[in-house]
Amino acid sequence: MNISKNWLCKYVAIDCGLETLCDKLTMAGIEVEALESSGTIPPGVVAGRILTRTPHPDSDHMSVCTVDVGKETLQIVCGAPNCDAGNVVPVATIGTVFHTPEGEFKIKKSKLRGVESQGMMCSERELGLSDNHDGLMLLDSALELGTPIERLFPGDTRIEIEVTPNRSDWLSMWGVARDVACLLNTEAKLPEIEIPECTIPAPGLVTVEAPDLCLRYTGRLIRNVKVGSSPKWLQTALESVGLRPSNNVVDVTNYVMMELGQPLHAFDLAKLSGRRVVARRAKSGEKITTLDGKTLTLEPRHLVIADAEKPMALAGVMGGEFSGVTDATTDVLLESAVFFASNIRATSRELGISSDSSYRYERGVDWDMAELASKRAAQLILETAGGELGSELVDVNSGRPAEMVIPCRFDRVRALIGTSVSNERIVEIFRALQLKVDQVSATDCVVTAPLFRHDLEREADLIEEVARIDGLDQIPEIAVTGKICASIREDAYLPLETLRNKIIALGFDECLHYSTVNRESALADSRFAEADLIKLKNPISLELAIMRPSLLGEMLGSVERNISRRNLTLKLFEIGKAFCRNSELFPEERFEICMALTGLKYPEQYSDALQEQYDFYDLKGALESLFEMMNIKRYRFVPTEDGRFRKGRALGVEVAGKTAGAFGEISSHLTKGFRTTYPIFVAQIDMATLLIAAHGAGYYEPFSLFPATSRDVAFVAPAGLSHDDVLAFIRKEKPTDLESIQLFDIFEKEGYKSMAYKLTFRNRERTLVDAEVNARFDKLKESMQNKLKVELR
């Protein structure tokens, strides 16, 4: 939002410097983002009278003039055609510094073709007042010589402010002036608004067929206007806030919008079929071409302002191509309306069209301002374009909205903002902000928020007003004190953060995805059916319509996006909430861990190492490392068949006897279209199962100082005997001094499998001798042969 300082001064007296004003605005919540000065005449430019003019002895177009600037007479060489004796003109004296886009330009004593020049007489363009450079700027001949020109033409400063969405009242000069007056302890006044009385009825001029979308519509006729260029003051005002002047009628509507915050539209009455307007919903497939030349296809959810036959404007957003005022216009229908903010916002975004009007309407406008703005616009149109009122004000509305009545406790104000502001000061601030204050007592008061303050809904909002106007810098600095309420071990977030850091330590990069997904992503996890999904009743879009039942779909989406950008080596994980409607399948809300692995193991290496790819066992190893870091001892991997994974390439995970999840190579139907030759491995683990599992204590065990000895055993067993079965059996036998068991060969054929293990023995207190190791080893082999029914090789 752009504010002109000169324009602002029309409503409120500003008795402080620009820097102070900007600081006060920012501290009051109206953040100043940028300043831009324009038309600022530098010090040193004064009024001077040309006394004499003689031709330059060495130029056919320059003249040598003597100029009286009040305190002295100067000789100035000038090339302007109107540097005639007797003219009073602006004179830039020696030392004057002009700031131009090219840099600084300082006036110095110089010689022009051998003749000394002691200054420069200026045109309007050289002073930055206009583009006129045809000759010198001529001033009033009665002007006192030596008068600084900056007094005659004070420059302006454009103040760019950031307006928060809830403060639509700041989207106008008058709205900002109200707060400035409060901050400077002065009074803000609107200019006097008077128009001739007109009682000419206009039956049928305005019809509202959609009162739920058009809350108020006012219209009045102005006849016999003469459309042309706007007066200089009006053009200057619009240019000062970045608007381009058009013609006097359109410029007035823009001026009033910037002045009062109420968007207006002027219809050419002759272009309206039936000489009337109808606020209605668009018909399905109805088209309109807007002022910017875009042709839009409308639906009944869009509000239009139509004549008796067709839409003439997209309500609250932009006028139609053929509805506007032109040089041929003589009769105008002036619209000032209040539309349903949410509908304007939805229409603007859906159709991809916005304007200064929609920017204000979608934030909400003042219901009461519609009539005053219409009156102000009518006043200015009569002043700038002539004509006369052609009808009374036609006002169609569904009733004035109720104002918000908010009780306010003085002690509560002081408690929240931490200052000792008095009851009288609180009431004074409310009234200075044009809030109605009643029932003032020693403890509280009742505040009625005007309709232009959409942001005031509760007591805390009023307290915020007191804080920002009284001064945020008045709030005392209080040292923050902390109290230990519980042990860090009781922190509910700590286990989650610790787990996240452990996975990061394994070399995985964390992903974050939205909790709402589309149907395809939700059903990527084959464990869930349509009936298991939790669907939003009012989603932002169909792409975000379902609460994710697991993290798999979005994780695969991230993998695919990376692959499509040729980032083929990935180690990703996410810890997040998943949601399920079917309580028999999963709790309604749970935390899940999803890990993904694909690509090259050593992408930074060369030669043969560069060819090594991540495989199933890398992901299995990552899970084992995670369990080890968490001191989870009771876990095992079991074969599983799961639609998420390739057949025979998946394992289930059990922790403390409970199913914790599964991992494996992702099924090809889920990676169809992925532009990679590397397999993709994914693990999905229930986080709660890991956190509640018994975590063994981690104790330091010193290394044995004595050597180990190993024995190999190989046997043929039925194909149904698993590696887990063998490990469990050996551990159950508990051979003395057995340190580790390692499977180093396995071969399967015709219903049998050959398995070979390396058994390592070590004693922590002495060196083992072969005889005792052999005895223990032979005893274990005998047990395996008899109890496991294997054939030793």
Side-chain angles (χ1 to χ4, degrees), residues 106 214 219 265 269 342 391:
K106 187 174 183 179
C214 180
H265 188 67
L269 188 64
S342 296
S391 75

Side-chain angles (χ1 to χ4, degrees), residues 45 89-92 98 120-124 126-127 135-137:
V45 182
V89 298
V91 179
F98 287 90
M120 180 180 75
M121 294 183 283
C122 305
S123 66
E124 290 185 11
E126 288 163 337
L127 296 178
L136 299 178
M137 180 180 183

Side-chain angles (χ1 to χ4, degrees), residues 331-437:
D331 297 336
V332 170
L333 190 158
L334 182 64
E335 168 200 284
S336 180
V338 179
F339 302 116
F340 184 47
S342 296
N343 179 259
I344 301 301
R345 180 167 56 251
T347 296
S348 176
R349 296 189 179 181
E350 178 187 350
L351 299 179
I353 184 170
S354 62
S355 63
D356 289 330
S357 294
S358 66
Y359 187 76
R360 287 161 174 77
Y361 273 126
E362 65 189 23
R363 285 160 174 77
V365 297
D366 179 8
W367 197 91
D368 291 329
M369 188 58 73
E371 181 177 353
L372 181 65
S374 177
K375 186 176 180 181
R376 174 66 165 158
Q379 175 193 36
L380 295 178
I381 288 175
L382 295 178
E383 288 179 8
T384 61
E388 65 276 345
L389 296 180
S391 75
E392 62 182 356
L393 179 71
V394 178
D395 188 349
V396 180
N397 63 78
S398 52
R400 186 175 185 271
E403 295 171 323
M404 187 69 69
V405 179
I406 311 168
C408 181
R409 298 163 291 173
F410 298 138
D411 285 344
R412 183 61 176 162
V413 174
R414 287 185 281 269
L416 274 187
I417 65 177
T419 64
S420 57
V421 58
S422 67
N423 296 357
E424 293 75 16
R425 175 60 175 157
I426 294 172
V427 173
E428 177 189 338
I429 289 173
F430 290 155
R431 287 176 174 158
L433 289 170
Q434 299 187 13
L435 311 181
K436 184 180 178 183
V437 184

Side-chain angles (χ1 to χ4, degrees), residues 3 123 224 294 311 372 404 494 533 537 624 652 694:
I3 299 294
S123 66
N224 301 319
K294 292 183 179 179
L372 181 65
M404 187 69 69
L494 181 61
L533 305 181
K537 290 184 178 180
E624 289 174 327

